[in-house]
Each structure stands twice: as structure tokens, then as C-alpha cells.
Amino acid sequence: MQAARNLVGIVVLAAAAVAMHADSFTQQSSTEQRFALQQQNSNRPPWAQKNKSADAAGNPTAKAEDADPAQDRGKIKVNVNLVNVLVSVLDEHNRPAPDLPLEAFQVFDEDNPQIIAVFEKETEQPLDLALMIDASLSAQLSMPAQRDAATHFIQQVLRKGDRLAVYSVDENVTQLAAFSDNVGHLQEVVRRIPAGAGTSIYDAVLLGARALSRQGTDRRRVIILVTDGGETTSRADFDSARREAVRTNTLLYTVVIRTMKSESGRNTAGEHALETITDTTGGAVFYPDSSAELDSIFDRINKELRTQYRLGYYPNPRGPADTYRRIEVTVAPPAAVPAQASPGSPDTMQAGSTKTDASKVQPVYSVRHRKSYYTGTP
């Protein structure tokens, strides 16, 4: 009997020890969680911030829709067959150049000329747009003009089948309105964008590209980022942001609001990084001299999106899986068009004049398109 009582006592003591250990572990885990949250506080000094390199660098999370754990939906798991390239062709006055024939275009894949299998003068592919507004403290001075221009742009750009989402960009990237064509609702959301603190430009590009990739195929993916260019709080880095934009075939248009004209007072490194990412995707960077120019800039973006050429080709030779391939598109001007001679000039008075070279106009075009594509995983 005494032995039985001793055995019961041992069991009770062991259970108590296990309970104390579990309680201690719970308290420790809770403490670690609080400490991690404290480290992520953007108001802490730099030396007290969480080490980004030890964290999931280049893999930030966004609020609202972008915090979807099923990230596999945004991954490309098949090799690319048809490669689509959206091409913007502008004349010497930066106006869209419409109605160019197929013969005017040449496509090169890693310097190898390609046969164009798909050609659309004005692509009918619907648009998915992520409109991202810098809400940081440094951008608040121009925020009223940004809101007015953005609400006007929403009404201009959305057509049947198009969808647009609104994001605020500060120390976080927050989706304020899901992808939809509800113009009134989207405009109201833009008018109510709250003020934030830092600016997470790389996070905005990376998370915006991922969100667009989940909207479906056979659609154009466009990010329009309005920012002062001052990168301060991103968890992603430059390479991660650019790679994700290329992988998802996302077109980036950037409007940089410079509150200071002098380079010594601006984050020019952030501006140069944005220029590089934007150029890689085939988009454009705009530097308005004042907020009053925002309306005309949004109008230019809208016109360009409606006059893009769509080229498609099957790569020959095909590149290996899981690689990035370089694309180049050139546009040869059509045959020179005779210039209008002024009345009474020698060209109008003399039939068969030999001054043909001087009486012809040779158009000059600039071409923008994405510079590379991802072949996909095996």
C-alpha cells in the first residue's frame, strides 16, 4: 500500500513539473513574440530594428487581400510558349504613333530574330491596374492634387472588362479597395487615403506585381505608382522588386513628386532605382514640375495604354527553364512620305524635280517595351 502511495506521489510531482515547464514555455514564446513586434516598430532607431537580412528579406506581406497565404496561385509553374510583348511607340513629340504595319516591327530574343505570330495595333486585352499612392508624411504636401488627379484618371481609364485596385504606400503597403470597376467607390477610397509615416517603394512594386498576377491570364498588368521617390522602410530590396515585376510581366508607370528641386535634398538613389525598374518593365517615369501637371500626366498614361501594340512570338531557340531572357524590339519607320511643298516653290513649279531627298519626311520613333521575360519552372 505504501509503495502504491509513493508511486502516486511521483506521478503527481511529474505532472506538476510538466505543467510548470509548459507554462514557462508559453510565457517565453509570448515574450519572444512581443520582442519581435517591438523590433518591427518603425519608430525605433536603426540599430534597434529587426535585422532584415535575417528575416524573409524580399518577401514582405501586405495588408488586406495581399496577405493571402496561398501564394502558390501567383507562381508560374509552366514553361513559356507564346511570349507577349506590349510595345509603346512614340513620335518625336512623345505622342503615340498608331497604325504602324506589322512589317515595321522586329523582335529579337537574346539577339536571335523572331517570327511575330501575334500582332495587334491597339490591343484589346483588358487592364488590371494597381493604383498606388504614396501616403508618407513627406508626400502630404501634394496629396490634395494627387487625389484630384487620381480620381479623374480612374474615371478616364476604366472601360468594360477593366479592373482597378487602390493601395496606400507608407511603412506598409495596404490595399484600400479591391480590384473592381466601381468608379464611384474607387474614387471615394482615393479621397480618404490616410496619412502614414515611411515609404516602402520596393514592397509596393513586389506586392503589387503579385496581386496583379493573381487576377488571371490574358490581361494586361499595370502598376501606377505616385511617390516622392524616398525609399525608407521596405523589407524587399531592389533586385526582388525588379525580378517580381519581370516574372509577372507587370508594366510600371512611375510619377515622382519632387517636393525639393535640389538633388542635395532628395533621395536620388530611390529615384534612380525606380527609373531602372520602370525601364525594365517597359513603362515610363514622369517628373512633374508642379502638382498641376498631374492631370496631363495621367492623361498621357491613359492614351498610351489605349494605343499599345501587342506582339507575340514563340521563342526560337527556346531558352532553358527558370531563366530570364532578353528581349529587344525595333521599329523601322515606314517609307518616307513626301513633304508638303509651299505654293510657288521650285518643287511645285518643276515637274520631276530632283530634290527628292530634301522633300521627304523621315519619322523618328522611340520604343518602350519590357526588356526581359521569365521562362518559368519545369
Side-chain angles (χ1 to χ4, degrees):
M1 179 66 70
Q2 183 63 34
R5 282 198 296 268
N6 290 341
L7 180 60
V8 171
I10 292 172
V11 171
V12 171
L13 288 173
V18 170
M20 289 176 62
H21 177 73
D23 183 62
S24 173
F25 178 78
T26 301
Q27 291 179 0
Q28 181 182 1
S29 298
S30 177
T31 301
E32 290 175 350
Q33 290 173 357
R34 287 197 301 272
F35 179 68
L37 291 174
Q38 289 171 355
Q39 283 188 304
Q40 294 173 0
N41 186 346
S42 59
N43 294 322
R44 291 170 62 83
W47 54 264
Q49 294 291 339
K50 188 174 182 180
N51 186 348
K52 293 182 182 180
S53 62
D55 193 16
N59 201 19
T61 57
K63 294 182 180 179
E65 179 186 282
D66 292 338
D68 189 345
Q71 293 183 358
D72 284 347
R73 289 184 295 172
K75 293 182 179 179
I76 301 174
K77 297 183 178 180
V78 295
N79 285 327
V80 172
N81 290 321
L82 180 69
V83 176
N84 285 300
V85 187
L86 296 172
V87 182
S88 298
V89 184
L90 307 176
D91 64 16
E92 61 270 24
H93 303 292
N94 282 324
R95 297 174 303 197
D99 298 325
L100 292 174
L102 167 64
E103 294 73 25
F105 293 84
Q106 280 189 300
V107 178
F108 300 87
D109 186 307
E110 294 290 340
D111 296 326
N112 297 305
Q114 304 293 310
I115 297 174
I116 299 174
V118 176
F119 178 74
E120 294 176 359
K121 289 187 177 181
E122 291 186 15
T123 180
E124 296 299 323
Q125 276 191 322
L127 288 166
D128 283 330
L129 301 109
L131 177 59
M132 298 188 152
I133 307 293
D134 186 342
S136 63
L137 291 176
S138 58
Q140 288 305 305
L141 187 62
S142 62
M143 184 56 74
Q146 290 185 47
R147 290 193 181 103
D148 290 344
T151 53
H152 180 63
F153 172 74
I154 289 172
Q155 186 165 8
Q156 275 187 310
V157 74
L158 285 179
R159 299 184 183 180
K160 184 177 180 180
D162 297 339
R163 299 180 298 221
L164 184 144
V166 178
Y167 292 80
S168 66
V169 180
D170 43 56
E171 65 271 24
N172 298 303
V173 179
T174 306
Q175 186 186 67
L176 302 178
F179 287 91
S180 78
D181 58 359
N182 188 333
V183 172
H185 172 65
L186 294 168
Q187 289 176 322
E188 183 59 28
V189 168
V190 168
R191 295 189 186 101
R192 294 186 285 104
I193 293 177
T199 310
S200 301
I201 290 175
Y202 299 147
D203 289 357
V205 174
L206 186 145
L207 294 168
R210 286 182 181 173
L212 287 163
S213 71
R214 293 195 291 266
Q215 298 310 304
T217 58
D218 202 31
R219 301 178 66 86
R220 285 180 288 167
R221 299 165 180 170
V222 182
I223 293 175
I224 298 173
L225 174 62
V226 184
T227 177
D228 62 6
E231 164 59 51
T232 58
T233 52
S234 283
R235 293 175 62 194
D237 58 19
F238 167 82
D239 287 328
S240 300
R242 181 169 63 167
R243 186 164 51 247
E244 195 68 12
V246 171
R247 187 188 71 83
T248 58
N249 191 17
T250 297
L251 184 64
L252 175 63
Y253 286 92
T254 305
V255 182
V256 180
I257 309 293
R258 295 177 291 189
T259 55
M260 297 182 181
K261 303 304 179 186
S262 172
E263 288 194 2
S264 60
R266 302 201 316 268
N267 183 349
T268 55
E271 293 177 16
H272 294 160
L274 278 173
E275 288 175 355
T276 302
I277 297 175
T278 303
D279 179 67
T280 301
T281 69
V285 181
F286 300 92
Y287 290 96
D289 290 325
S290 69
S291 299
E293 296 181 21
L294 288 175
D295 262 335
S296 61
I297 288 173
F298 275 119
D299 184 57
R300 284 180 59 182
I301 295 173
N302 177 51
K303 287 180 179 177
E304 186 167 314
L305 290 173
R306 297 304 171 189
T307 55
Q308 285 179 315
Y309 295 86
R310 180 190 172 203
L311 311 180
Y313 69 95
Y314 295 93
N316 182 24
R318 290 184 62 181
D322 197 22
T323 59
Y324 291 87
R325 305 278 289 178
R326 182 164 43 87
I327 302 172
E328 182 183 2
V329 177
T330 62
V331 175
V337 180
Q340 292 184 351
S342 59
S345 68
D347 288 340
T348 59
M349 293 186 296
Q350 299 178 12
S353 172
T354 59
K355 298 182 180 181
T356 54
D357 292 339
S359 63
K360 290 185 181 285
V361 175
Q362 191 75 7
V364 178
Y365 296 126
S366 60
V367 183
R368 290 203 306 268
H369 59 87
R370 62 169 168 152
K371 302 300 187 296
S372 60
Y373 69 96
Y374 178 59
T375 58
T377 55

